[in-house]
Amino acid sequence: MKPTFTSNGYAKKSINPDTWAMLEIAHKEGIETVWDRLAKQQPQCGYCNLGTSCRICAMGPCRVDPFGEGPQKGVCGADADIIVARNLARTIAAGASSHSDHGRDILETFHRVGEGKTDIYKITDPDKLRRLAEEYGLATDGKNDQELTEELAWEMMEDYGMHRARLPLAKRAPLARQDIWDKTGTFPRGIDRENVEALHRTHMGVDNDWVNILLHAVRTSLSDGWGGSMIATELSDILFGVPTPKKSFVNLGVIKAEQVNIILHGHNPMLSEVIVAASQDPNLLALAKEKGAAGINLAGLCCTGNEVLMRKGIPMAGNHLMQELCIMTGAVEVMLVDYQCIMPAVTETARCFHTKVISTFDKAKFPGAEHISFDPARGLEIGRQIVRIAVENFTRRVPERVRIPVEPTPMMAGFSVEAILGALGGTPQPLVDAIVQGSIRGAVGVVGCNNPKFKQDLGHTELTKRLIENDILVLVTGCAAVADGKAGLMVPEAADKAGPGLRAVCKALGIPPVLHMGSCVDNTRILVLAAALANHLGVDISALPLAGAAPEWYSEKAVAIGTYVVASGIYTVLGMAPPIFGSPNVVKLLTEGLEGVFGATFAVEPDPNRAAVLIRRHIEGKRAGLGLTAIAPDDIAMPEAELALV
Ligand code: BF8
Ligand code: SF4
């Protein structure tokens, strides 16, 4: 048994014993962490927090002071509404671009498969390839997988340009939803087009109508959710397999003292899928033995971790705030990074240990890391090269500095839409029946990041617990999924923590009450499931008893996700607001005005117990709207605010 750690005063920072243990080590050894750097940034800029600072042009930088005596306009004349809207639109464009460019990278590899120019990648799910090709209107008869892959790849490349008036995958949404997008001029067109146009509109002196700016920001987010991210998910499934339920483990305990450890960090599964194959190479395993290691162990971090957990059952070392702490175990030979959410600080932490950080994408270099340029044509060769570096680095490890503080917690992952519908017998009807009978009140996507401004994982886990206790099925992705996994909420036995209705359904199906649906680009799986339910019932998504939540978000990608989720008709509660409070008009539009247009709004509530009540009231309201049994909102008491920002 590993020792039991107490919080040692770190309970304000995290709910997790592995985090406490590593923070203690960081403290003793003088290693800086994200929490130290956050403290050094205090006080953070009030104008930036309100969203009323602008540095878009060289007449600035400007700050406007909407609630005080200071300037009310920037040098160009932009007021708080324009500045806040422009900043928010740029944030959304950056998030949407990140997901969509990730999708493009997968698409380029998919295209290589079609051309036959790769040493490892192949079509793993030909049925899904054919389904998608048919959705794109391609004739599939008489074509082999390779021909079809090349043809579909060209079609999808058009999605990134401006050839199309409407993104084909957005047609998966119910017609009523598509109608709303048409009427509001937000139906997404080319993916790149929306993102470039967002930058154009927010240049000085272009779009100065703040509502018009925000409508385009919505369209940009939709080009992510029903475009770039959806392409990333669909093609990853075709190349690497549609996830199916599987058991694995989570927390720093998945790092193995006696083995060579490789941490797979970032978002793009292309290289990590290959590392999984390379780590089983008999020659490399023999070399590991020769170096004194018992084997080669892979563990994930962030969304690359989620991708290989969903498809291969590779264990998960942790979520966003664990990236530096992971290295401090002293047992990581290589941290392999692709892109997004990788703190530049990891190379600095690695310098205190024998760990090598290896970067792999030419668009994401890290000073202090070794760079091995990823090339899909030589994927397996590069994978073997990286595993060999890790194995050879094992002898540089300092055994006295190996500290793995906890035993791993079991968790289940792999709940793709296909897997969920499969478990239900191929149709959403049993889920619909459970919702109609009221044994399941509704479903909520709890998604998003860690942010050191929140006590790590408290928001995710408390919100999830309150929801399942009240018979609400929880779907998770990203770092939220890792949080719930660590808390033991993602094993079938966790059904005992659910209310009686949800518990019975989970027990009958042998599933947890919290279903891991994947990485952050895989939030599109939640959209597809919502669309399937809505289409099955012949209603719009906004009529369903659904909600979204991002309790501890930090990234621009999370803002893009929240926006496309709301614009798809799903009420979404954020743990903190993006920087918009400098414009009461923008706040009112996002938290009230969107209801009349998109049938959903944002809400902001840092306390997870209160957020749960907002969501339960919303779900019961939607149930009433569908004529189902519903609890009156006033019968769901709102607790006093208690748990909030650190
Ligand atoms: O894309 S949840 S911290 S790792 S941004 Fe990043 Fe946020 Fe984690 Fe995955 Ni998503
Ligand atoms: Fe200032 Fe306007 Fe330039 Fe922004 S765009 S920096 S508000 S002058």
Side-chain angles (χ1 to χ4, degrees):
M1 270 302 283
K2 297 273 166 72
T4 311
F5 281 86
T6 56
S7 66
N8 281 345
Y10 298 110
K12 266 188 82 175
K13 296 189 165 60
S14 174
I15 63 166
N16 300 308
D18 56 354
T19 304
W20 302 336
M22 301 326 281
L23 285 177
E24 180 70 20
I25 289 169
H27 176 69
K28 280 196 185 131
E29 299 185 357
I31 303 170
E32 191 180 72
T33 67
V34 62
W35 286 275
D36 301 318
R37 293 187 296 273
L38 175 64
K40 286 182 188 166
Q41 285 293 334
Q42 301 311 312
Q44 288 173 310
C45 172
Y47 290 101
C48 293
N49 264 328
L50 290 173
T52 55
S53 54
C54 182
R55 51 167 184 74
I56 279 173
C57 86
M59 294 190 287
C62 303
R63 296 167 304 178
V64 305
D65 186 18
F67 310 118
E69 302 294 308
Q72 301 298 306
K73 292 190 169 156
V75 177
C76 67
D79 60 13
D81 294 337
I82 298 175
I83 292 176
V84 166
R86 275 197 311 220
N87 287 339
L88 184 63
R90 285 197 165 201
T91 298
I92 290 168
S97 296
S98 304
H99 287 141
S100 297
D101 199 44
H102 162 174
R104 185 199 331 260
D105 285 335
I106 308 268
L107 174 54
E108 288 195 328
T109 297
F110 182 72
H111 182 227
R112 294 281 188 126
V113 173
E115 291 181 314
K117 290 184 186 160
T118 155
D119 68 348
I120 176 113
Y121 300 104
K122 59 180 193 326
I123 299 303
T124 301
D125 195 324
D127 294 339
K128 188 155 184 170
L129 168 68
R130 270 160 211 277
R131 285 201 303 275
L132 199 61
E134 278 160 16
E135 214 178 327
Y136 271 73
L138 298 178
T140 56
D141 281 354
K143 289 178 194 156
N144 65 30
D145 288 353
Q146 189 172 339
E147 287 163 344
L148 209 50
T149 297
E150 188 170 19
E151 225 178 293
L152 180 59
W154 280 114
E155 283 293 315
M156 290 183 135
M157 286 185 207
E158 296 286 356
D159 290 357
Y160 279 87
M162 58 173 292
H163 175 71
R164 295 180 193 282
R166 298 155 136 239
L167 281 179
L169 292 175
K171 294 180 189 155
R172 291 177 171 186
L175 286 175
R177 183 59 26 189
Q178 295 184 41
D179 223 37
I180 291 172
W181 296 338
D182 274 330
K183 288 199 178 111
T184 51
T186 57
F187 204 114
R189 303 163 297 177
I191 297 160
D192 288 349
R193 175 183 187 153
E194 304 307 5
N195 283 284
V196 170
E197 188 172 319
L199 294 181
H200 178 197
R201 285 185 185 226
T202 53
H203 186 280
M204 201 305 273
V206 184
D207 200 349
N208 291 298
D209 176 328
W210 62 271
V211 176
N212 209 38
I213 295 170
L214 292 178
L215 279 174
H216 182 71
V218 163
R219 178 158 53 178
T220 306
S221 76
L222 289 169
S223 80
D224 172 7
W226 297 88
S229 277
M230 203 169 270
I231 286 175
T233 299
E234 297 292 305
L235 295 188
S236 296
D237 281 358
I238 293 174
L239 290 172
F240 310 125
V242 175
T244 52
K246 44 186 65 68
K247 291 184 175 160
S248 190
F249 292 94
V250 60
N251 76 27
L252 287 186
V254 306
I255 297 173
K256 299 289 170 226
E258 68 289 356
Q259 297 197 33
V260 172
N261 291 295
I262 303 176
I263 300 287
L264 307 168
H265 183 13
H267 285 76
N268 188 317
M270 280 190 299
L271 186 54
S272 42
E273 280 279 336
V274 172
I275 297 287
V276 176
S279 70
Q280 290 153 6
D281 181 310
N283 293 332
L284 291 168
L285 285 167
L287 184 65
K289 288 248 150 58
E290 207 178 286
K291 302 282 175 192
I296 301 171
N297 181 45
L298 306 182
L301 258 184
C302 288
C303 284
T304 293
N306 281 322
E307 297 272 357
V308 288
L309 168 64
M310 290 284 286
R311 296 197 180 85
K312 297 283 189 299
I314 300 294
M316 174 63 93
N319 41 9
H320 184 56
L321 289 178
M322 304 311 287
Q323 51 190 298
E324 297 165 283
L325 309 189
C326 194
I327 295 172
M328 289 180 207
T329 59
V332 175
E333 275 57 53
V334 161
M335 175 176 275
L336 184 68
V337 303
D338 49 78
Y339 44 53
Q340 298 171 16
C341 301
I342 299 147
M343 295 186 199
V346 292
T347 53
E348 196 60 37
T349 314
R351 251 194 278 275
C352 306
F353 296 88
H354 75 300
T355 306
K356 289 191 177 180
V357 178
I358 299 180
S359 57
T360 49
F361 276 78
D362 291 349
K363 64 181 86 172
K365 293 193 174 180
F366 294 76
E370 181 174 337
H371 188 71
I372 297 178
S373 183
F374 173 71
D375 173 3
R378 300 187 298 113
L380 186 57
E381 184 191 327
I382 295 169
R384 287 200 187 113
Q385 182 190 356
I386 290 167
V387 174
R388 179 176 290 274
I389 291 172
V391 170
E392 286 175 347
N393 200 27
F394 183 76
T395 52
R396 291 180 58 240
R397 192 192 272 188
V398 181
E400 309 76 66
R401 289 190 83 199
V402 172
R403 294 97 23 135
I404 298 166
V406 290
E407 294 290 347
T409 303
M411 74 183 291
M412 241 179 135
F415 291 94
S416 56
V417 174
E418 290 87 337
I420 294 172
L421 293 181
L424 297 172
T427 136
Q429 191 59 45
L431 182 57
V432 169
D433 290 344
I435 292 173
V436 168
Q437 286 153 13
S439 46
I440 295 181
R441 313 299 299 170
V444 176
V446 179
V447 309
C449 323
N450 284 153
N451 181 331
K453 291 179 177 175
F454 295 97
K455 186 191 287 196
Q456 184 197 16
D457 296 344
L458 180 83
H460 297 307
T461 54
E462 288 302 308
L463 174 61
T464 301
K465 285 182 206 160
R466 291 305 86 73
L467 295 175
I468 63 172
E469 281 161 17
N470 287 289
D471 291 322
I472 293 170
L473 178 67
V474 173
L475 311 170
V476 285
T477 60
C479 290
V482 183
D484 282 349
K486 282 186 276 185
L489 297 169
M490 288 162 73
V491 284
E493 302 75 52
D496 291 330
K497 299 186 168 101
L502 178 60
R503 187 188 315 147
V505 173
C506 291
K507 294 219 162 174
L509 296 172
I511 58 170
V514 182
L515 302 181
H516 193 337
M517 294 193 77
S519 63
C520 286
V521 293
D522 293 338
N523 282 312
T524 60
R525 297 190 199 277
I526 299 180
L527 291 184
V528 170
L529 186 61
L533 283 174
N535 286 331
H536 188 80
L537 288 167
V539 297
D540 178 39
I541 294 173
S542 63
L544 299 173
L546 302 177
E552 303 175 35
W553 74 274
Y554 94 91
S555 90
E556 291 166 313
K557 293 179 289 170
V559 186
I561 293 168
T563 309
Y564 74 61
V565 167
V566 169
S568 299
I570 301 173
Y571 171 72
T572 296
V573 182
L574 304 175
M576 66 185 231
I580 57 169
F581 282 132
S583 166
N585 282 330
V586 171
V587 172
K588 200 164 165 23
L589 180 75
L590 298 185
T591 57
E592 294 172 29
L594 291 180
E595 182 67 41
V597 189
F598 292 100
T601 61
F602 283 102
V604 177
E605 177 51 68
D607 183 321
N609 290 323
R610 291 170 62 85
V613 170
L614 289 177
I615 288 171
R616 288 183 58 212
R617 287 176 174 174
H618 170 81
I619 281 181
E620 295 298 334
K622 291 295 172 187
R623 291 184 60 85
L626 287 168
L628 306 176
T629 56
I631 304 168
D634 290 348
D635 291 344
I636 306 173
M638 179 62 80
E640 289 300 312
E642 187 188 345
L643 309 169
L645 299 180
V646 168

PDB file of all heavy atoms in Angstrom, residues 557-568:
ATOM      1  N   LYS A 557     -10.305  27.489 -26.439  1.00  0.00           N
ATOM      2  CA  LYS A 557     -11.090  26.400 -27.041  1.00  0.00           C
ATOM      3  C   LYS A 557     -12.384  26.174 -26.258  1.00  0.00           C
ATOM      4  O   LYS A 557     -13.427  25.892 -26.846  1.00  0.00           O
ATOM      5  CB  LYS A 557     -10.270  25.101 -27.048  1.00  0.00           C
ATOM      6  CG  LYS A 557      -9.079  25.139 -27.961  1.00  0.00           C
ATOM      7  CD  LYS A 557      -8.297  23.839 -27.893  1.00  0.00           C
ATOM      8  CE  LYS A 557      -7.577  23.691 -26.587  1.00  0.00           C
ATOM      9  NZ  LYS A 557      -7.010  22.351 -26.384  1.00  0.00           N
ATOM     10  N   ALA A 558     -12.306  26.317 -24.944  1.00  0.00           N
ATOM     11  CA  ALA A 558     -13.492  26.104 -24.117  1.00  0.00           C
ATOM     12  C   ALA A 558     -14.553  27.163 -24.432  1.00  0.00           C
ATOM     13  O   ALA A 558     -15.762  26.876 -24.402  1.00  0.00           O
ATOM     14  CB  ALA A 558     -13.118  26.123 -22.639  1.00  0.00           C
ATOM     15  N   VAL A 559     -14.116  28.386 -24.738  1.00  0.00           N
ATOM     16  CA  VAL A 559     -15.087  29.439 -25.064  1.00  0.00           C
ATOM     17  C   VAL A 559     -15.759  29.120 -26.403  1.00  0.00           C
ATOM     18  O   VAL A 559     -16.975  29.292 -26.563  1.00  0.00           O
ATOM     19  CB  VAL A 559     -14.413  30.834 -25.109  1.00  0.00           C
ATOM     20  CG1 VAL A 559     -15.460  31.923 -25.306  1.00  0.00           C
ATOM     21  CG2 VAL A 559     -13.623  31.095 -23.829  1.00  0.00           C
ATOM     22  N   ALA A 560     -14.961  28.612 -27.342  1.00  0.00           N
ATOM     23  CA  ALA A 560     -15.544  28.215 -28.639  1.00  0.00           C
ATOM     24  C   ALA A 560     -16.560  27.090 -28.421  1.00  0.00           C
ATOM     25  O   ALA A 560     -17.667  27.115 -28.975  1.00  0.00           O
ATOM     26  CB  ALA A 560     -14.447  27.775 -29.602  1.00  0.00           C
ATOM     27  N   ILE A 561     -16.193  26.119 -27.589  1.00  0.00           N
ATOM     28  CA  ILE A 561     -17.107  24.981 -27.332  1.00  0.00           C
ATOM     29  C   ILE A 561     -18.402  25.486 -26.694  1.00  0.00           C
ATOM     30  O   ILE A 561     -19.503  25.176 -27.146  1.00  0.00           O
ATOM     31  CB  ILE A 561     -16.442  23.928 -26.419  1.00  0.00           C
ATOM     32  CG1 ILE A 561     -15.280  23.256 -27.135  1.00  0.00           C
ATOM     33  CG2 ILE A 561     -17.465  22.872 -25.974  1.00  0.00           C
ATOM     34  CD1 ILE A 561     -14.385  22.410 -26.227  1.00  0.00           C
ATOM     35  N   GLY A 562     -18.266  26.287 -25.621  1.00  0.00           N
ATOM     36  CA  GLY A 562     -19.455  26.801 -24.933  1.00  0.00           C
ATOM     37  C   GLY A 562     -20.368  27.522 -25.913  1.00  0.00           C
ATOM     38  O   GLY A 562     -21.597  27.364 -25.870  1.00  0.00           O
ATOM     39  N   THR A 563     -19.765  28.278 -26.832  1.00  0.00           N
ATOM     40  CA  THR A 563     -20.574  29.070 -27.760  1.00  0.00           C
ATOM     41  C   THR A 563     -21.310  28.177 -28.762  1.00  0.00           C
ATOM     42  O   THR A 563     -22.496  28.365 -29.022  1.00  0.00           O
ATOM     43  CB  THR A 563     -19.681  30.104 -28.481  1.00  0.00           C
ATOM     44  OG1 THR A 563     -18.949  30.817 -27.494  1.00  0.00           O
ATOM     45  CG2 THR A 563     -20.506  31.082 -29.302  1.00  0.00           C
ATOM     46  N   TYR A 564     -20.596  27.168 -29.301  1.00  0.00           N
ATOM     47  CA  TYR A 564     -21.340  26.319 -30.264  1.00  0.00           C
ATOM     48  C   TYR A 564     -22.376  25.450 -29.560  1.00  0.00           C
ATOM     49  O   TYR A 564     -23.401  25.099 -30.151  1.00  0.00           O
ATOM     50  CB  TYR A 564     -20.412  25.543 -31.206  1.00  0.00           C
ATOM     51  CG  TYR A 564     -19.634  24.340 -30.685  1.00  0.00           C
ATOM     52  CD1 TYR A 564     -20.258  23.206 -30.167  1.00  0.00           C
ATOM     53  CD2 TYR A 564     -18.241  24.318 -30.781  1.00  0.00           C
ATOM     54  CE1 TYR A 564     -19.534  22.103 -29.735  1.00  0.00           C
ATOM     55  CE2 TYR A 564     -17.500  23.217 -30.360  1.00  0.00           C
ATOM     56  CZ  TYR A 564     -18.158  22.108 -29.828  1.00  0.00           C
ATOM     57  OH  TYR A 564     -17.438  21.023 -29.406  1.00  0.00           O
ATOM     58  N   VAL A 565     -22.133  25.121 -28.291  1.00  0.00           N
ATOM     59  CA  VAL A 565     -23.117  24.326 -27.556  1.00  0.00           C
ATOM     60  C   VAL A 565     -24.392  25.158 -27.338  1.00  0.00           C
ATOM     61  O   VAL A 565     -25.511  24.708 -27.608  1.00  0.00           O
ATOM     62  CB  VAL A 565     -22.528  23.812 -26.221  1.00  0.00           C
ATOM     63  CG1 VAL A 565     -23.607  23.256 -25.306  1.00  0.00           C
ATOM     64  CG2 VAL A 565     -21.473  22.732 -26.493  1.00  0.00           C
ATOM     65  N   VAL A 566     -24.222  26.413 -26.894  1.00  0.00           N
ATOM     66  CA  VAL A 566     -25.391  27.287 -26.708  1.00  0.00           C
ATOM     67  C   VAL A 566     -26.086  27.535 -28.053  1.00  0.00           C
ATOM     68  O   VAL A 566     -27.314  27.445 -28.161  1.00  0.00           O
ATOM     69  CB  VAL A 566     -24.974  28.623 -26.039  1.00  0.00           C
ATOM     70  CG1 VAL A 566     -26.111  29.633 -26.092  1.00  0.00           C
ATOM     71  CG2 VAL A 566     -24.557  28.376 -24.584  1.00  0.00           C
ATOM     72  N   ALA A 567     -25.292  27.796 -29.095  1.00  0.00           N
ATOM     73  CA  ALA A 567     -25.888  28.070 -30.408  1.00  0.00           C
ATOM     74  C   ALA A 567     -26.533  26.819 -31.009  1.00  0.00           C
ATOM     75  O   ALA A 567     -27.273  26.908 -31.974  1.00  0.00           O
ATOM     76  CB  ALA A 567     -24.826  28.623 -31.361  1.00  0.00           C
ATOM     77  N   SER A 568     -26.243  25.658 -30.424  1.00  0.00           N
ATOM     78  CA  SER A 568     -26.918  24.432 -30.854  1.00  0.00           C
ATOM     79  C   SER A 568     -28.163  24.171 -30.012  1.00  0.00           C
ATOM     80  O   SER A 568     -28.840  23.150 -30.183  1.00  0.00           O
ATOM     81  CB  SER A 568     -25.956  23.228 -30.760  1.00  0.00           C
ATOM     82  OG  SER A 568     -24.841  23.441 -31.604  1.00  0.00           O
TER      83      SER A 568
END
